[in-house]
Amino acid sequence: MFVFKNAWKSVIRNKGRNILIAIIVAIIAAAATIGLSIRQSANTARETGLENTSVTGQISVDRSKLINASSTSSSSSSGSQPDFSAIREALSDKELSLSDYQKYAKLSSVSSSYYTETTSLAETDSFQPVSTTSSSSSSSSSSSGSSDSNAQQPGGGMGGGMESTTSSGDFQLVGFSSDEAVKNASNGSFTMTSGEVFDYTTSSDKQVIISKSLADFNNLKVGSTITVASATDSSKTYSLKVVGIYKNTTESSTSTGGPGGGSTANDAANAIYTSVSTLKALGLDASSKVTTTDSSGNSTSSAAAQISYTYVFNDESSFKSFKTQAKKAGLSSDYTVSSADVEEYESSLIPLNNLSQFALTLLLIVLGVGAVVLIVLSLFNVRERKYEVGVLTAMGVKKSKVAAQFAIELLIVTMIGLGIGAVAGAATSVPVSNQLLASQVAQQESETSSQQAQFGRGAAGPGTSSGSSSSSSSSGSGTGSGTQAAAPTQGNGGGQFGAQAVDYVSSVNSTVSLSMVGQLILIGLGLTLLSALVGVIFVMRYEPLQILADRS
């Protein structure tokens, strides 16, 4: 009891020095609170950002793995020249069939699924694609097959999985399996201006909906009949009935043909939507085969349409569970499971992760400098009170109790400063964090814009926004924490080629939780023990008689 009373009296007696120590500790605590708040927000965003949000996933061929494996084996036997035939053979017949996709859709982690089948069609004299050139960029007599030239890539957005295909035809005929598939069309969302969307039974076979631009270009209306040709055989035509006309949310062309104009099939305006039942009735579904002949007269057979199958999961954990279940269900290592939603969300966390790393570095620097300052002050404190130490020890007080008194004094002052700093940090952590995060977002967007400009592209496609469009929050053991996060963007919707629309996490809303309070207490105790250790060492080294003799 003597030690505590004496420590408290010393705290009151040496107000100036102790106030200085409290101010230093308060600054350290405030900086630590802000740093811990930022890191807590980053961890919360990573762990719970997609916890209550449905995500989509796709199964695709791991082409890089197959190419590398084939290149390695062929180069070892044939020198440096790749064996292109072996590589093509390794990649051939790897696309999953519809039944394969549907088998994995039955796994317990899958909430729902949908798919599209996409093929190419060519123009006829009575039905022309929307184009700014005098003639279609690719004629119906093109010798390359639609399936051979399809380039598969993951779709974007919530409900992605649609594939953007590069085709030799003039139109893309896209068959949908359900309303959910239509809702998540790769060309982006759209609204009906007249008519209605087809259903998915055989009773609506050969019914299609077309864009308003395409309808206006060909002077068509609901009830009109259009005639299109096979992309591989111009003599083969198909008659389709227009039951609806839609308008894209963006009217920008998605053509990526480059100088001279690419295939008009890549223009969103030239997309013809129907049901997968229609493609089956026309013999243009994925189970049907088309034969193409190249310039050398070699014939190849390939699927008439390409499948894009999308699995929907209730949350990110279900998606991760699906990856494990699919492997157990027999999915070969030649395939990979991916989610554009997860990838885009992780991309949106880049500024927050950068800020979290910066906060950690700043926190370590502040703690290091603060520890040095406190050690120096503690050292001067002990040296100034050297005579007091000599008197107490000469009176019979053990050195350990004297050292404990100095440690308790420092602990009292440190806890007071820690409390003041924690309150100040909690009050300022949100605005300061958001200000720092805003600068990180601006820097990231500037880097992206500069990179796109370097390649002669726009910074992002239409529909990209820098603000927050949805929120993701998580309650901890304390008062809770959360981040304002942007939802993954939808489709390519006419965006620039190569530009990925990412809505970065733009703000944090993280308050002090119990875990953060515990970390602050540990920081305070650590600084106290480290600083007091110096005083303890000096106290234990002092000899009371020598001190009194020197004083005399």
Side-chain angles (χ1 to χ4, degrees):
M1 197 66 180
F2 166 79
V3 174
F4 286 98
K5 287 183 178 180
N6 216 32
W8 177 250
K9 289 180 181 179
S10 180
V11 170
I12 301 299
R13 184 171 58 250
N14 301 295
K15 293 180 181 179
R17 181 182 63 249
N18 292 328
I19 289 175
L20 176 61
I21 294 176
I23 292 175
I24 294 173
V25 174
I27 294 174
I28 296 173
T33 302
I34 296 174
L36 292 174
S37 174
I38 293 173
R39 291 186 62 78
Q40 177 178 270
S41 298
N43 291 333
T44 300
R46 280 193 297 268
E47 295 172 1
T48 64
L50 296 176
E51 190 175 61
N52 299 313
T53 304
S54 62
V55 299
T56 59
Q58 301 81 33
I59 298 176
S60 57
V61 180
D62 192 346
R63 293 179 176 175
S64 296
K65 176 184 176 181
L66 294 174
I67 292 174
N68 290 335
S70 300
S71 299
T72 302
S73 59
S74 62
S75 61
S76 61
S77 59
S78 60
S80 59
Q81 179 66 36
D83 188 346
F84 296 111
S85 299
I87 296 176
R88 291 192 182 98
E89 184 177 354
L91 294 175
S92 64
D93 298 328
K94 288 295 183 180
E95 296 297 333
L96 296 177
S97 65
L98 180 58
S99 60
D100 292 329
Y101 285 115
Q102 291 173 334
K103 178 182 72 172
Y104 299 115
K106 297 177 182 179
L107 297 176
S108 60
S109 56
V110 179
S111 173
S112 62
S113 63
Y114 57 87
Y115 67 96
T116 62
E117 294 184 349
T118 305
T119 189
S120 297
L121 294 173
E123 65 179 20
T124 60
D125 292 338
S126 61
F127 186 61
Q128 300 282 317
V130 177
S131 175
T132 56
T133 58
S134 59
S135 62
S136 175
S137 59
S138 60
S139 67
S140 58
S141 60
S142 172
S143 61
S144 59
S146 61
S147 298
D148 289 346
S149 57
N150 282 345
Q152 183 177 356
Q153 61 185 25
M158 296 298 295
M162 301 301 170
E163 294 169 355
S164 175
T165 55
T166 303
S167 164
S168 63
D170 301 300
F171 307 97
Q172 274 193 357
L173 181 62
V174 184
F176 295 94
S177 64
S178 62
D179 284 344
E180 189 175 12
V182 175
K183 177 183 177 182
N184 296 286
S186 61
N187 287 328
S189 59
F190 60 86
T191 56
M192 300 299 296
T193 60
S194 59
E196 61 182 7
V197 176
F198 45 82
D199 60 42
Y200 308 96
T201 62
T202 55
S203 61
S204 63
D205 283 351
K206 299 185 180 181
Q207 293 182 357
V208 299
I209 60 175
I210 61 177
S211 69
K212 189 175 186 303
S213 298
L214 187 58
D216 292 342
F217 193 80
N218 288 275
N219 194 25
L220 299 173
K221 59 183 180 180
V222 173
S224 299
T225 299
I226 60 175
T227 301
V228 289
S230 167
T232 57
D233 184 1
S234 59
S235 62
K236 191 173 185 178
T237 60
Y238 309 95
S239 294
L240 304 171
K241 182 179 180 180
V242 178
V243 296
I245 297 174
Y246 67 87
K247 183 176 182 179
N248 287 318
T249 53
T250 174
E251 288 297 319
S252 301
S253 170
T254 58
S255 178
T256 60
S263 170
T264 56
N266 294 319
D267 193 326
N270 294 321
I272 303 174
Y273 293 158
T274 186
S275 65
V276 290
S277 178
T278 294
L279 265 69
K280 187 174 183 63
L282 297 176
L284 295 175
D285 61 324
S287 62
S288 302
K289 298 292 183 179
V290 294
T291 301
T292 57
T293 304
D294 59 21
S295 58
S296 302
N298 298 320
S299 297
T300 57
S301 179
S302 58
Q306 190 171 27
I307 299 177
S308 174
Y309 206 100
T310 301
Y311 302 94
V312 182
F313 309 95
N314 291 328
D315 49 38
E316 185 181 8
S317 61
S318 296
F319 165 71
K320 293 180 179 178
S321 177
F322 173 77
K323 297 173 72 173
T324 302
Q325 292 179 357
K327 295 296 182 183
K328 292 182 178 179
L331 182 64
S332 169
S333 59
D334 293 338
Y335 300 89
T336 180
V337 180
S338 61
S339 171
D341 299 335
V342 174
E343 292 171 1
E344 287 181 13
Y345 186 72
E346 290 176 350
S347 297
S348 74
L349 294 177
I350 291 177
L352 185 58
N353 290 335
N354 291 340
L355 182 59
S356 176
Q357 187 62 40
F358 170 77
L360 176 60
T361 303
L362 181 63
L363 178 60
L364 294 176
I365 293 175
V366 170
L367 291 179
V369 174
V372 171
V373 172
L374 289 178
I375 289 173
V376 172
L377 290 176
S378 178
L379 177 60
F380 279 118
N381 180 36
V382 173
R383 291 177 65 87
E384 288 175 2
R385 297 167 61 185
K386 184 177 181 180
Y387 182 72
E388 180 184 343
V389 173
V391 172
L392 290 174
T393 52
M395 291 172 57
V397 180
K398 294 181 179 180
K399 289 183 179 181
S400 59
K401 289 188 176 182
V402 177
Q405 175 187 324
F406 279 91
I408 292 172
E409 290 177 20
L410 188 59
L411 180 62
I412 293 172
V413 177
T414 300
M415 289 297 107
I416 293 174
L418 190 66
I420 296 173
V423 172
T428 59
S429 61
V430 173
V432 171
S433 298
N434 285 331
Q435 186 66 31
L436 293 173
L437 182 57
S439 64
Q440 285 289 332
V441 171
Q443 179 180 353
Q444 188 68 31
E445 290 178 341
S446 177
E447 290 178 0
T448 303
S449 178
S450 298
Q451 183 181 32
Q452 295 294 339
Q454 179 182 0
F455 290 99
R457 307 184 184 115
T464 303
S465 61
S466 59
S468 171
S469 58
S470 69
S471 64
S472 173
S473 63
S474 171
S475 297
S477 56
T479 54
S481 63
T483 58
Q484 295 298 318
T489 54
Q490 170 65 45
N492 55 9
Q496 298 289 343
F497 174 69
Q500 182 182 11
V502 177
D503 289 335
Y504 296 112
V505 172
S506 57
S507 63
V508 298
N509 182 24
S510 180
T511 54
V512 177
S513 64
L514 291 180
S515 62
M516 191 183 298
V517 171
Q519 293 176 23
L520 287 174
I521 292 176
L522 290 177
I523 290 174
L525 291 175
L527 290 175
T528 301
L529 293 176
L530 184 62
S531 304
L533 181 62
V534 176
V536 170
I537 293 174
F538 273 83
V539 169
M540 300 303 290
R541 290 177 57 189
Y542 287 154
E543 293 295 336
L545 297 179
Q546 185 65 41
I547 293 174
L548 295 177
D550 292 342
R551 181 61 178 263
S552 300

